[in-house]
Amino acid sequence: MSFLRPASLLLAVLALVGCNTDKVTHIASIFVEAPPSSTLTMRKNVQLPVSGLTIPIMTKELTLAEELLSTTVIEAGPSDLRQVYLLVHVNTTAARTIMDITREARGKNLVLIVNETAVGIMHIDQQINDGKLMFAVEQKGMSSREAALFLSDNLNASMVIIRKELEQK
């Protein structure tokens, strides 16, 4: 989308100028809300930074940083109640895992963790088959749009670096 062009252009310019942009600053992973039947060693509580919502999540992530492909900022919902979301695209391996988990986890939430901090939540209404996840995100001192743009720019930049590092191995 058009929001990504300035960030991509900036990265290209910095790379041409010779600045060191090869530093991963934002590591993201996705977790699923823990069922009440899970033991205390299998779950931990995380708290969203603005709403203060506390969610028990499984300690093992569903996706690793290298399984995330890209993010975009979107608006969704009825025309009079549109909301801003961070759309996260995952690779086919992660998409299969999420498809399997969300078949059984309806009514639960997926939680986006960035740098060990919960920043987004997605309610599971139905099985997710396409590897596209819409997170309502939060960052202290930012509107939902600012938070989504900030996270999208930083996560996309880090994803490019992670993919380059994986290709070099």
Side-chain angles (χ1 to χ4, degrees):
M1 299 199 124
S2 63
F3 295 120
L4 297 178
R5 287 190 201 119
S8 300
L9 181 60
L10 177 62
L11 285 174
V13 168
L14 288 175
L16 289 173
V17 171
C19 293
N20 183 8
T21 60
D22 290 344
K23 184 175 180 197
V24 175
T25 59
H26 287 71
I27 303 289
S29 50
I30 299 168
F31 291 77
V32 67
E33 182 179 346
S37 62
S38 61
T39 65
L40 292 176
T41 58
M42 295 174 58
R43 67 176 180 226
K44 66 179 178 179
N45 287 335
V46 296
Q47 187 174 39
L48 291 170
V50 177
S51 65
L53 180 64
T54 299
I55 306 155
I57 60 171
M58 300 299 290
T59 55
K60 173 121 176 68
E61 65 276 332
L62 291 181
T63 66
L64 301 170
E66 56 267 18
E67 295 174 313
L68 304 181
L69 299 175
S70 66
T71 65
T72 45
V73 177
I74 63 167
E75 286 187 20
S79 59
D80 56 337
L81 297 172
R82 310 254 326 147
Q83 290 185 312
V84 176
Y85 294 94
L86 180 67
L87 180 65
V88 177
H89 303 266
V90 298
N91 69 14
T92 54
T93 303
R96 271 187 248 120
T97 301
I98 289 169
M99 184 175 67
D100 291 342
I101 293 294
T102 58
R103 179 178 33 246
E104 303 297 324
R106 290 185 193 146
K108 299 280 185 211
N109 295 293
L110 294 178
V111 178
L112 179 65
I113 306 286
V114 176
N115 297 342
E116 300 182 17
T117 302
V119 298
I121 188 168
M122 176 186 168
H123 189 71
I124 303 169
D125 293 322
Q126 60 188 5
Q127 183 178 17
I128 301 165
N129 297 317
D130 60 3
K132 296 176 184 173
L133 310 169
M134 286 185 358
F135 288 96
V137 293
E138 302 180 354
Q139 292 281 282
K140 284 192 176 190
M142 295 183 187
S143 69
S144 59
R145 178 175 301 284
E146 291 168 335
L149 290 169
F150 172 80
L151 288 167
S152 182
D153 288 346
N154 287 290
L155 288 172
N156 283 329
S158 292
M159 287 175 200
V160 168
I161 295 166
I162 290 169
R163 272 198 297 280
K164 283 181 184 177
E165 289 177 3
L166 289 173
E167 289 172 1
Q168 292 175 354
K169 290 182 181 183

